[in-house]
Amino acid sequence: MQASLAKEVNRILILVAGGLALCLLWHSILPLVAVLALYIIWSTRQLFALYAWLVREEHTDPPDSVGLWGEFYTRLEHLFRQERRAQDNLQAIIQRAQESVNALEDVVVMIDRHGHLEYWNHSAAQHLGLRPDKDLGQPLTNLIRHPRFTDYLNQGRFNEPLEIPSPVNDSRVLQFRITEFGEGDQLILARDMTRLHHLEQMRKDFVANVSHELKTPLTVLKGYLETLQDTVPDEQTRLRRALQQMSLQSHRMEALVNDLLLLARLENTKADNTSQAVAVHGMLHRMRESALALMPEKHHRITLTVPEDARLLANPAELESAFGNLITNAVKYTPAEGHIHIEWWSDDKGGHLSVTDDGIGIDPQHIPRLTERFYRPDNSRVTQTGGTGLGLAIVKHVMLRHDGKLEIQSALGKGSTFTCHFPPARLVVKPAALTNG
């Protein structure tokens, strides 16, 4: 480039020198003006030729030229070739990425920060009914009109997936997950969960049916065992001991069947919208007395803090089952002379019940799975406590039916705190309290 620039400067100097020589010969400045004008006209023509070459849509060879302009065309052509190669490589990568995304069975959709459709794969067209000729640039909520999906998208809390029926086929269940990227853009992934839902429903139906069928024979067995225990003479100690063990295990089996039936009802029925104003104060006081009588040999100290005017819109039976399971667990897993504290309070976030004990505690790695049915951190404690392993699963489902959540905090050797959080809409405020406020 430096050599071409030097040649062009030399060419201009030669032209100027020639023009000056003619000026001296003719005793006029016109030859110099004419030489410079010709050079300007030639350069202008090269400029127009460059513009015409650049604006052509199809690729053509650059115009023929010499000197600095020729070098300029050569450099530009080289840069254009590099750019075309980069564009071809990028286009190949984009095409390969689109082919791989289209090969996925999962739904992939991209929307901009305004919620308008930018891209989707073949599965999205199949499961969501998106059409490339009409739906590109349309708001996604105009095409997926399910209220839960609209709320999920507007709230922006995507840490948990959303499951709704497919807008194309109500018999198909889709699980949506949303990831944010760029400046407010969102990547939406959806998976067909129909088969898993069918399997889960089959499992629930099986457990419910088996539990229901076991209830009648267990009742008969318990009745005969109680009759035999009353009729067997006291001197037949071995037989009486066997009958006592059989009776104990039948009671344990009955508790398991009852819990399974309750859990099946909570899972398979809709939440009761006709909630009652439950007096939390009275309910917790009764539960405290029952907890003291559950294992009197442990001499637990159970304290209770609850306002007398505490009221909660809830299903009384379900609420009693959830609170009872938490308090019973605290009694079972707190050693002798231990302390259990039950507290109810309310604030701007809603109503809260906490059950705190200074028992054996739980390793934090087990906490995420504690609400799974039959899950236990330590199976050796099953025989000692005699529980069914369904208590916390029942608590979780009761809280879901009451728009709340269960929070668990624990550490080995430092006790545990189980807290039920209810939304503000579940609180009942007395008219007198509103007047005083």
Side-chain angles (χ1 to χ4, degrees):
M1 189 69 180
Q2 294 294 333
S4 299
L5 184 60
K7 289 180 179 180
E8 189 67 20
V9 172
N10 291 335
R11 186 178 294 111
I12 294 173
L13 293 176
I14 291 173
L15 289 173
V16 171
L20 290 174
L22 292 174
C23 289
L24 293 175
L25 201 69
W26 293 354
H27 303 287
S28 175
I29 198 173
L30 291 177
L32 179 61
V33 173
V35 169
L36 294 177
L38 288 173
Y39 182 80
I40 292 173
I41 292 172
W42 179 79
S43 298
T44 303
R45 289 187 61 187
Q46 295 298 323
L47 185 62
F48 279 110
L50 173 63
Y51 175 76
W53 179 55
L54 292 177
V55 297
R56 285 194 185 102
E57 293 184 0
E58 70 280 357
H59 173 68
T60 58
D61 292 333
D64 293 330
S65 187
V66 295
L68 188 62
W69 282 102
E71 181 71 18
F72 187 55
Y73 286 138
T74 302
R75 292 298 181 100
L76 277 180
E77 175 67 8
H78 179 68
L79 290 176
F80 288 162
R81 286 177 181 174
Q82 286 184 333
E83 183 183 359
R84 284 194 294 270
R85 282 196 296 268
Q87 287 180 345
D88 291 342
N89 292 336
L90 182 59
Q91 186 63 36
I93 293 173
I94 293 175
Q95 185 175 357
R96 189 172 180 82
Q98 288 181 341
E99 290 174 353
S100 61
V101 171
N102 284 327
L104 293 174
E105 294 183 0
D106 294 346
V107 171
V108 179
V109 177
M110 286 193 297
I111 60 176
D112 61 19
R113 60 180 179 176
H114 302 295
H116 296 169
L117 283 164
E118 290 187 332
Y119 171 80
W120 61 87
N121 64 348
H122 294 333
S123 293
Q126 176 184 352
H127 291 290
L128 303 181
L130 301 181
R131 298 163 299 180
D133 56 334
K134 295 183 178 180
D135 297 334
L136 188 64
Q138 293 293 321
L140 182 59
T141 51
N142 288 355
L143 306 171
I144 304 178
R145 297 179 178 272
H146 199 287
R148 290 178 56 205
F149 179 80
T150 303
D151 293 341
Y152 184 67
L153 202 61
N154 292 336
Q155 290 174 2
R157 295 193 294 268
F158 306 132
N159 52 331
E160 292 294 333
L162 171 70
E163 293 186 358
I164 59 171
S166 167
V168 176
N169 186 354
D170 289 341
S171 63
R172 314 297 295 180
V173 178
L174 299 179
Q175 183 187 79
F176 287 84
R177 288 185 176 274
I178 299 180
T179 302
E180 295 181 316
F181 68 98
E183 297 182 1
D185 297 334
Q186 293 176 334
L187 176 67
I188 301 175
L189 304 176
R191 175 171 296 180
D192 190 346
M193 304 294 289
T194 307
R195 182 174 177 274
L196 289 178
H197 265 260
H198 287 166
L199 292 175
E200 180 67 14
Q201 190 60 46
M202 289 173 59
R203 180 189 64 79
K204 291 178 181 179
D205 292 343
F206 172 77
V207 172
N209 293 334
V210 169
S211 302
H212 187 269
E213 293 299 325
L214 284 174
K215 194 171 182 63
T216 299
L218 273 175
T219 303
V220 175
L221 181 62
K222 279 183 58 185
Y224 278 113
L225 285 173
E226 291 173 359
T227 302
L228 287 173
Q229 283 181 303
D230 293 337
T231 57
V232 171
D234 293 340
E235 57 270 16
Q236 296 186 10
T237 56
R238 294 180 62 184
L239 180 56
R240 289 187 66 85
R241 189 181 304 112
L243 290 173
Q244 288 174 355
Q245 289 294 324
M246 292 170 65
S247 179
L248 179 64
Q249 295 303 320
S250 67
H251 279 85
R252 185 174 176 183
M253 178 64 76
E254 184 182 41
L256 176 60
V257 169
N258 289 334
D259 281 352
L260 283 172
L261 288 173
L262 173 59
L263 193 55
R265 182 179 66 81
L266 293 174
E267 289 179 336
N268 296 327
T269 61
K270 292 184 178 180
D272 185 8
N273 292 326
T274 58
S275 301
Q276 303 177 25
V278 179
V280 179
H281 181 271
M283 177 182 287
L284 292 179
H285 270 278
R286 291 194 304 273
M287 290 183 176
R288 177 181 178 274
E289 297 302 320
S290 300
L292 288 171
L294 183 61
M295 293 183 175
E297 70 279 3
K298 285 191 172 183
H299 304 289
H300 286 147
R301 184 167 62 93
I302 303 178
T303 57
L304 178 63
T305 302
V306 53
E308 293 187 3
D309 60 347
R311 298 287 189 277
L312 188 71
L313 286 175
N315 181 304
E318 294 180 5
L319 195 66
E320 189 161 354
S321 176
F323 290 177
N325 272 300
L326 292 180
I327 296 173
T328 300
N329 281 349
V331 172
K332 289 179 179 178
Y333 294 111
T334 300
E337 308 294 338
H339 177 222
I340 300 170
H341 182 61
I342 307 166
E343 183 177 2
W344 172 271
W345 75 97
S346 60
D347 52 27
D348 57 347
K349 296 181 180 179
H352 316 273
L353 170 83
S354 67
V355 179
T356 304
D357 63 68
D358 55 5
I360 57 179
I362 306 164
D363 193 326
Q365 68 176 341
H366 296 293
I367 290 178
R369 297 191 60 191
L370 282 181
T371 54
E372 296 178 11
R373 59 179 67 196
F374 300 115
Y375 181 80
R376 293 176 183 271
D378 184 1
N379 288 327
S380 65
R381 294 186 291 180
V382 175
T383 306
Q384 300 174 10
T385 61
T388 63
L390 298 173
L392 291 179
I394 292 173
V395 174
K396 182 187 77 170
H397 281 85
V398 169
M399 294 305 299
L400 289 175
R401 289 165 67 91
H402 288 79
D403 311 309
K405 65 177 182 179
L406 174 65
E407 179 185 0
I408 305 173
Q409 296 177 329
S410 186
L412 284 175
K414 297 182 180 180
S416 306
T417 298
F418 293 80
T419 307
C420 296
H421 300 285
F422 297 90
R426 289 279 176 179
L427 293 177
V428 179
V429 182
K430 286 186 175 182
L434 289 174
T435 303
N436 294 336

